[in-house]
Amino acid sequence: MNLTGQRVTLRKIEERDLSTLWDYIYGEPSPEWKKWDAPYFEHKRLTREEYIESSIKNKGRSDEFQRLIEVDGTIIGTIGYYWEYEPSRWLEAGIVIYDPSYWNGGYGTEALSLWVDHLFQTKEIGRVGITTWSGNERMMKAAEKIGMKLEGRMRKCRYYNGVYYDSIRMGLIREEWEEQRPL
C-alpha cells in the first residue's frame, strides 16, 4: 500500500529501485546527505552487487520497516522505523532525503507526517520518536512541524569535525497526534 500526500508518495522498495538507492547511498565516497545523517558514524561502503544481494535477501524486513520517498515518480529518499525496545513498544522513526535539491522544500516534513500517521494507524504504540544530533537542524525542524516535542538532550556526546554536539530525542504521543492530525 502506498501512502500518498500532496507532493510525496511513500512506497515499498522494489528490486528495480535498488540500483538508484545504491547510487545515492554509496555512489560517492562522501555523499552530501551523510554530513547530516549521523556523520560521526562510519559510512561503510558496499559494492553495488553486495547491496543488491543483501536488499533482495532482506526484502521482507525492508517491506515492514522501510519505504521509499518519491516525488513525481523520482526517488528522493527513504523513511523507516526501528524498535528501540519492542517489548515496551518503544518505536523510533528515521528519514533521509538523499537528493540535496529536495532539502528545505517541505518534502521531508510531509513524508514524516505520512509515516507517523501510518505507524499510529498500524501499530499498537503510544509514541513515535526520532533521535538526531544538534547539528541536524532540518531534522529537528521537520519533527517540530509535525508536533514532536523535545524529550531529551544529551549534551556534548557527539563529536564531529572538532566540535561537540548534543544528541537530541524528540517524540509525539498518540493523543497529541490524534488531536492535531491532518485530515
Side-chain angles (χ1 to χ4, degrees):
M1 168 182 74
N2 291 347
L3 306 172
T4 304
Q6 291 181 354
R7 301 179 301 158
V8 168
T9 298
L10 308 182
R11 70 167 176 82
K12 289 183 179 178
I13 298 170
E14 299 173 13
E15 196 168 329
R16 66 184 168 93
D17 304 316
L18 298 177
S19 190
T20 300
L21 285 173
W22 183 89
D23 288 340
Y24 275 136
I25 299 167
Y26 303 108
E28 297 175 27
S30 184
E32 187 67 20
W33 64 267
K34 186 60 183 156
K35 294 174 185 170
W36 307 102
D37 182 42
Y40 35 82
F41 291 136
E42 181 184 0
H43 185 53
K44 293 182 183 173
R45 190 175 191 280
L46 297 177
T47 66
R48 187 180 300 268
E49 294 74 27
E50 290 169 332
Y51 175 73
I52 290 173
E53 184 181 313
S54 172
S55 296
I56 291 169
K57 182 178 154 191
N58 295 307
K59 181 167 176 24
R61 181 169 169 74
S62 176
D63 283 352
E64 168 63 19
F65 292 97
Q66 189 175 37
R67 297 287 185 276
L68 281 177
I69 304 170
E70 279 187 334
V71 174
D72 297 325
T74 298
I75 297 167
I76 67 163
T78 55
I79 194 162
Y81 78 88
Y82 63 93
W83 291 106
E84 184 75 29
Y85 190 64
E86 190 171 4
S88 69
R89 302 178 186 168
W90 181 355
L91 182 145
E92 295 279 301
I95 181 172
V96 180
I97 304 294
Y98 298 113
D99 186 338
S101 64
Y102 288 90
W103 292 352
N104 300 316
Y107 300 101
T109 301
E110 184 177 339
L112 187 59
S113 180
L114 284 170
W115 193 235
V116 166
D117 194 56
H118 169 73
L119 293 172
F120 278 131
Q121 287 187 43
T122 60
K123 307 276 175 229
E124 200 173 319
I125 54 173
R127 173 192 173 275
V128 174
I130 60 108
T131 301
T132 190
W133 61 299
S134 58
N136 192 346
E137 293 178 13
R138 281 190 302 274
M139 182 69 246
M140 292 182 294
K141 280 274 190 237
E144 188 178 298
K145 284 179 184 175
I146 70 156
M148 288 191 177
K149 295 177 177 33
L150 180 66
E151 296 177 335
R153 175 183 294 268
M154 283 60 71
R155 297 176 299 156
K156 292 191 175 187
C157 64
R158 297 293 187 197
Y159 188 74
Y160 176 63
N161 280 347
V163 178
Y164 283 101
Y165 293 90
D166 300 343
S167 180
I168 304 294
R169 290 231 175 193
M170 297 179 75
L172 180 66
I173 60 173
R174 181 181 291 277
E175 294 82 1
E176 292 167 340
W177 181 252
E178 289 172 354
E179 199 173 285
Q180 56 112 49
R181 181 177 175 227
L183 299 177

